[in-house]
Amino acid sequence: MIKNYLKIAWRALIRSKVYSSINIVGLSLGLAACMLIVLYVGHEYSFDKFHENADNIYMAETELTFGKDPIYIPYMGYSKGPESKQSIPSIEDCLRYKESFESVTIKNAAAPSLKFSEDKFAFADPNFFDFFSFTLLQGNKDHVLDNPFSVVVSQRAAEKYFGSKDPVGEVFLYNDKYRFTVTGISKNTPSNSSVDFDFVASISSMESMEEYNESITNDYDDFTTYFSLKSSADPTLVETSLLSNNGDQQDKGNDVNKRYLLKPLTSLHFGKNFDNSRYIKIFPLVAILILLLALVNYASLSTARSTTRSKEVGVRKVLGARRKAIAIQFFLESSLYTVISFVVGYFLCISLQPFFFGLLDIQMDNSFLYAPQMLLSLGILLIITIVLAAIYPAILLSAYRPIVVLQGKLSKQNGGAGVRKFFTVFQFGISVVLIICAIVIDRQMYFFRHADTGVDRENIVMLPFSSDAGKHAIPFEDEIQSIPEVVQSSMGILPLYKGFNMMSVKSTNSDEMIFLPTLTVDENFISLLGLKWEIPPVDSLFFKDQKTAAIINKTAIEKLNLEGNPIGQKINGQYEIDGVLKDFNYSSLHNKVEALCLFIKKSNDAISPWGKRGGVIYAKIAPKSNIPSTIQQLKTVYEKYERENPFEYHFLNDAFDAQYKAEDRLAKIFSAFTGFAILIAMMGLFGLATFIAVQRRKEIGIRKVLGASIKDVTALLSIDFLNLVVFAILIASPVAYWLMGQWLQNFAYRISISWWMFALAGTGTLLIALLTISFQAIRTATTNPTKSLRTE
């Protein structure tokens, strides 16, 4: 019986090629879009769950509270992890993990030309490969990190430095100072791992490295510390034990409170990558909407074509077929359409996957596509789609009464027409919402990139350098400045828009402690970035005393509770305020400008901070310069003073734009899936217009015989659909307005939602609908009326 039903379904599919194609293509597009988002969201939520004991692993976080302002540091002291493991019974194991401060230069000792800058170098306890479930391809996981200056490399690092040669036993040079011996090779870390490394060295090596000796000796909170708890342990009680285990955590003199928090390993990804987590819940909603559009498109065409199958149902019922048997037939028929659409959609998803994830700047292992959990998710998606797509047509078609059908009264009933109108309004309503959202997001992104932030970002290149180059700051900067295209230069500790330091201070006339963001820069920084003075220094040489001079912004006056003219007043009784800058955005536009303090250091200071720890040089390039040629000249100077670290540069504008990756990703997804939604809606409208034209062919033939023009016939077929589209626009506009109003509340600086955005979306949707309908309407209107009247 089922075989017979499938034969009938296949014949129906072949017989109605236009409708079948529209159904299959529309459903395939919706499923492909849904699969892409399922892959993306599934990948984001799968982070770190591949570890065998993932549910019991936690990372320790230190909370420091100064007055009312808490800050969170994802580290503990060097000794605190092992001590806690010994004294707290609920802790089963402990692991210390330390990523390198900055990019390090790694060199193959046997082939010095194989030298690269690496930013995935870390140190870990010997139990690293027992604690985590990373695969060790060579080496004994219990002993590969036992000895100082031993290192395990990833597959990609082994191939990069040694090619096909076995690297075990070979030697690496770390910053041309320390020799590390390769003791093992690990499989590349999965793309859904928050712990990512190419080199993991024994943590005991750090005791002999001057860069880290101070952190270890003074037990600074510098080490990422993971705890594996017993399955019966209560993390909250362990947090309390960590606090008591590490002594009195309150420094009453400085009003500082410290406590430890435990963060589940499986939640760390979203904590570390706020850009990824900010809108992750929106994407499943977009996937559901796209799939609903495809299903509605299918259901709409199925109800439209139901009248052509009604006599078949009536005859079968007269011959004794029960409703259940007819429902099963049409359920299997719809299931066949869905399975074919799913297969087409899957191959479409695989084809689009590299482009889609490249567009979003997301790395994903190909193996994840075939992971059991993803295959299970796709299987569930197939079952849900089959049920939703098949159940309504099966119920509708099996419900026809044979007497009504065979008497030809079915066409007079309006139930099906009402459902089709609802589906059309729903489809275009969703499309209009997506279009308006895409427009608002695009305008907000444009506003971000062109807002007046108080900083002149044009043609400024940032060149990070190490302490080796910083020790020669004067000649280094002089040679950069001597490049004809460089009009000005400056030095600082950190690249702008990539972080700042924090200082705890007491506000004036109060014992309350607050955190004050700080930047350490040289005397040219203010003029190079075009920063404006709110209260200029009395002495133009305001940087006269390097150790105690400070410049604050306007917001800092209120934050520090300063009264009257702040010039000459002191911060913490130590740093004298020499000037006040107008507020400028030194971080993202998501938040209002916060207080800021600039410490001005001369480049020629023998003990300048960049001579101790490195920094960044800002070079402003003259307009209309040959940028590639100028970059090459900067590289030549850089390599003269920086012999180990490879040349890197970043434009200030790019660093500013990089703060909005999450919004940029959201804009790209909305743009892509708005296109999907419009295409699906167009296909559904085309199918309905085709069906209505066929259904009314005799009426159109009579009208043409009686003198109706092509224009009249086209208007007749178009007006009902266009009314539905206008109704969809009217319903969708306030919905989109509310959604985008809520979204814009996330930004301290934002655009206003304007009427033209709705006018543009509405007009565009109407034009798309008109073009879709007109193609079929004009084709029908130009048909010879004698053919229509001759048709039975």
Side-chain angles (χ1 to χ4, degrees):
M1 183 66 73
I2 292 178
K3 183 178 179 181
N4 185 52
Y5 287 160
L6 290 174
K7 281 184 178 179
I8 295 172
W10 180 256
R11 288 169 184 168
L13 186 152
I14 298 299
R15 187 167 56 247
S16 305
K17 292 183 176 63
V18 173
Y19 298 108
S20 299
S21 298
I22 291 174
N23 271 332
I24 290 173
V25 173
L27 203 50
S28 298
L29 288 173
L31 284 166
C34 194
M35 288 176 194
L36 287 170
I37 294 183
V38 166
L39 283 174
Y40 168 55
V41 174
H43 185 261
E44 292 298 304
Y45 279 110
S46 72
F47 263 75
D48 299 312
K49 292 182 180 178
F50 61 89
H51 295 295
E52 290 181 8
N53 197 32
D55 292 338
N56 293 323
I57 297 176
Y58 296 82
M59 185 191 76
E61 182 177 69
T62 303
E63 180 191 74
L64 297 174
T65 305
F66 290 74
K68 298 179 181 179
D69 295 331
I71 62 170
Y72 299 91
I73 305 171
Y75 308 114
M76 289 184 78
Y78 183 76
S79 66
K80 290 185 172 59
E83 289 173 359
S84 300
K85 177 187 173 182
Q86 293 296 322
S87 59
I88 302 175
S90 296
I91 296 178
E92 193 166 280
D93 203 358
C94 161
L95 173 77
R96 292 168 297 183
Y97 183 80
K98 175 67 176 176
E99 294 178 334
S100 184
F101 283 135
E102 54 190 17
S103 295
V104 297
T105 302
I106 300 297
K107 183 191 298 183
N108 182 340
S113 61
L114 290 170
K115 177 181 70 174
F116 302 94
S117 177
E118 302 288 355
D119 56 6
K120 294 182 180 180
F121 196 105
F123 300 88
D125 278 320
N127 63 332
F128 180 78
F129 288 98
D130 264 331
F131 194 91
F132 290 127
S133 301
F134 296 116
T135 304
L136 197 62
L137 301 176
Q138 282 185 246
N140 186 327
K141 69 177 183 178
D142 295 323
H143 301 292
V144 285
L145 297 178
D146 279 353
N147 300 320
F149 297 103
S150 57
V151 63
V152 175
V153 299
S154 67
Q155 286 174 293
R156 56 178 167 255
E159 183 178 349
K160 182 176 179 180
Y161 286 89
F162 299 102
S164 58
K165 183 180 178 181
D166 183 1
V168 175
E170 297 292 333
V171 175
F172 280 116
L173 288 179
Y174 177 103
N175 281 349
D176 221 23
K177 295 180 181 179
Y178 308 105
R179 297 172 65 86
F180 282 85
T181 302
V182 178
T183 54
I185 303 174
S186 71
K187 193 173 181 180
N188 293 334
T189 53
S191 60
N192 57 345
S193 172
S194 60
V195 178
D196 189 16
F197 63 89
D198 277 330
F199 306 81
V200 58
S202 54
I203 203 165
S204 57
S205 313
M206 302 176 70
E207 297 178 9
S208 303
M209 300 173 71
E210 60 179 343
E211 295 92 333
Y212 300 105
N213 187 261
E214 185 178 356
S215 291
I216 293 174
T217 302
N218 296 314
D219 210 19
Y220 291 151
D221 291 329
D222 278 346
F223 294 82
T224 303
T225 306
Y226 297 95
F227 293 107
S228 175
L229 306 186
K230 294 179 179 178
S231 55
S232 59
D234 183 345
T236 306
L237 295 179
V238 176
E239 288 176 346
T240 304
S241 300
L242 285 172
L243 182 65
S244 59
N245 181 67
N246 289 284
D248 185 6
Q249 300 302 320
Q250 183 174 27
D251 183 343
K252 296 180 180 179
N254 291 322
D255 193 23
V256 178
N257 289 282
K258 176 191 283 188
R259 69 176 182 138
Y260 297 106
L261 305 174
L262 293 180
K263 299 294 182 183
L265 175 68
T266 53
S267 71
L268 295 183
H269 171 62
F270 292 131
K272 291 182 178 179
N273 297 277
F274 186 62
D275 284 348
N276 292 344
S277 64
R278 193 177 299 162
Y279 302 118
I280 192 67
K281 293 181 181 179
I282 294 178
F283 299 142
L285 178 61
V286 173
I288 291 170
L289 289 177
I290 296 293
L291 184 58
L292 276 177
L293 285 177
L295 291 171
V296 162
N297 185 58
Y298 178 85
S300 180
L301 288 177
S302 296
T303 58
R305 292 192 62 241
S306 63
T307 55
T308 64
R309 305 287 299 276
S310 58
K311 289 186 178 181
E312 173 192 342
V313 175
V315 170
R316 290 189 62 194
K317 281 194 171 184
V318 168
L319 294 176
R322 294 185 178 183
R323 180 176 181 181
K324 179 180 178 182
I326 295 172
I328 291 173
Q329 176 196 332
F330 287 111
F331 188 90
L332 288 175
E333 186 173 315
S334 294
S335 298
L336 178 63
Y337 277 93
T338 305
V339 170
I340 294 173
S341 300
F342 190 89
V343 172
V344 174
Y346 180 76
F347 283 106
L348 189 60
C349 169
I350 297 300
S351 301
L352 292 176
Q353 180 254 333
F355 170 78
F356 177 71
F357 291 111
L359 183 71
L360 300 181
D361 192 25
I362 295 171
Q363 299 296 323
M364 182 182 294
D365 295 333
N366 287 331
S367 59
F368 185 77
L369 295 171
Y370 312 105
Q373 65 268 28
M374 284 313 305
L375 295 177
L376 177 62
S377 299
L378 295 179
I380 293 172
L381 176 62
L382 173 60
I383 293 171
I384 291 173
T385 306
I386 287 175
V387 172
L388 294 178
I391 197 164
Y392 178 70
I395 293 173
L396 177 71
L397 290 169
S398 64
Y400 288 146
R401 295 164 55 195
I403 295 176
V404 174
V405 170
L406 296 176
Q407 287 180 344
K409 296 180 180 180
L410 183 64
S411 60
K412 298 177 183 179
Q413 297 177 354
N414 293 322
V419 172
R420 290 194 296 277
K421 287 179 180 179
F422 169 78
F423 284 160
T424 302
V425 171
F426 179 82
Q427 280 185 305
F428 278 91
I430 295 298
S431 299
V432 170
V433 169
L434 290 175
I435 292 171
I436 294 172
C437 289
I439 292 172
V440 174
I441 293 170
D442 177 75
R443 290 299 85 196
Q444 180 69 13
M445 293 302 297
Y446 181 88
F447 170 77
F448 278 157
R449 293 189 172 96
H450 296 84
D452 181 7
T453 60
V455 180
D456 180 9
R457 305 188 302 271
E458 291 301 317
N459 287 355
I460 294 179
V461 179
M462 299 186 294
L463 310 175
F465 58 84
S466 71
S467 57
D468 290 338
K471 290 172 183 176
H472 307 283
I474 299 174
F476 181 28
E477 187 171 14
D478 284 347
E479 289 203 41
I480 291 289
Q481 187 70 57
S482 68
I483 297 173
E485 290 80 7
V486 174
V487 295
Q488 193 178 2
S489 64
S490 175
M491 283 192 175
I493 289 291
L494 296 170
L496 193 60
Y497 304 124
K498 293 195 174 184
F500 44 80
N501 292 316
M502 298 288 284
M503 178 177 69
S504 61
V505 301
K506 285 186 178 180
S507 58
T508 305
N509 300 323
S510 171
D511 291 332
E512 181 184 359
M513 297 293 293
I514 60 173
F515 286 114
L516 183 65
T518 67
L519 291 174
T520 302
V521 294
D522 73 6
E523 62 272 21
N524 298 319
F525 182 81
I526 294 171
S527 59
L528 180 131
L529 295 183
L531 307 182
K532 307 297 182 184
W533 290 108
E534 179 74 20
I535 305 176
V538 176
D539 186 349
S540 59
L541 300 177
F542 59 86
F543 44 84
K544 54 187 180 299
D545 187 345
Q546 311 301 308
K547 296 180 181 179
T548 60
I551 303 296
I552 61 173
N553 66 351
K554 183 179 178 181
T555 299
I557 296 176
E558 182 179 353
K559 182 80 173 179
L560 296 171
N561 198 27
L562 300 175
E563 298 177 354
N565 189 341
I567 303 298
Q569 297 189 46
K570 291 188 176 181
I571 302 172
N572 272 1
Q574 179 181 2
Y575 304 103
E576 183 177 328
I577 299 173
D578 278 3
V580 180
L581 289 167
K582 290 183 181 293
D583 287 341
F584 65 95
N585 294 94
Y586 58 91
S587 61
S588 165
L589 290 173
H590 288 96
N591 306 306
K592 290 184 177 180
V593 177
E594 294 292 338
L596 178 69
C597 177
L598 299 183
F599 292 116
I600 309 297
K601 303 293 182 182
K602 287 185 179 179
S603 295
N604 61 359
D605 189 342
I607 55 171
S608 63
W610 29 88
K612 290 183 176 181
R613 52 179 292 191
V616 60
I617 189 165
Y618 299 83
K620 186 173 183 64
I621 300 174
K624 299 181 180 181
S625 297
N626 185 325
I627 298 296
S629 173
T630 306
I631 295 296
Q632 184 58 46
Q633 293 180 73
L634 290 171
K635 181 180 180 182
T636 301
V637 174
Y638 175 90
E639 291 178 341
K640 181 177 178 180
Y641 294 94
E642 188 67 73
R643 299 182 184 278
E644 294 301 323
N645 293 330
F647 175 73
E648 294 180 6
Y649 68 93
H650 310 279
F651 279 95
L652 189 57
N653 255 332
D654 293 339
F656 177 78
D657 292 343
Q659 298 175 108
Y660 311 107
K661 283 184 178 179
E663 286 71 33
D664 195 40
R665 183 172 296 157
L666 185 68
K668 289 174 180 176
I669 283 187
F670 263 92
S671 298
F673 291 110
T674 297
F676 271 102
I678 292 171
L679 185 57
I680 292 171
M682 286 173 63
M683 293 178 66
L685 193 58
F686 179 80
L688 285 177
T690 302
F691 174 79
I692 296 299
V694 171
Q695 194 178 46
R696 300 177 68 177
R697 61 186 180 275
K698 287 190 176 182
E699 175 192 346
I700 293 169
I702 293 171
R703 287 178 179 275
K704 290 193 69 177
V705 168
L706 296 177
S709 65
I710 293 176
K711 179 180 177 182
D712 295 331
V713 174
T714 302
L716 175 71
L717 293 174
S718 303
I719 193 67
D720 288 342
F721 286 113
L722 293 179
N723 285 338
L724 294 176
V725 174
V726 170
F727 186 57
I729 293 170
L730 294 177
I731 292 176
S733 294
V735 174
Y737 180 85
W738 181 82
L739 288 174
M740 287 294 94
Q742 295 297 308
W743 179 71
L744 288 171
Q745 294 301 314
N746 293 318
F747 309 104
Y749 304 95
R750 53 185 177 264
I751 62 170
S752 298
I753 301 177
S754 302
W755 65 268
W756 65 264
M757 298 175 182
F758 300 92
L760 178 62
T763 304
T765 305
L766 277 173
L767 287 174
I768 290 169
L770 184 61
L771 289 172
T772 304
I773 299 166
S774 296
F775 176 80
Q776 184 60 44
I778 293 172
R779 182 182 175 186
T780 304
T782 55
T783 302
N784 189 330
T786 58
K787 292 183 179 179
S788 301
L789 296 175
R790 201 181 293 136
T791 304
E792 290 298 329

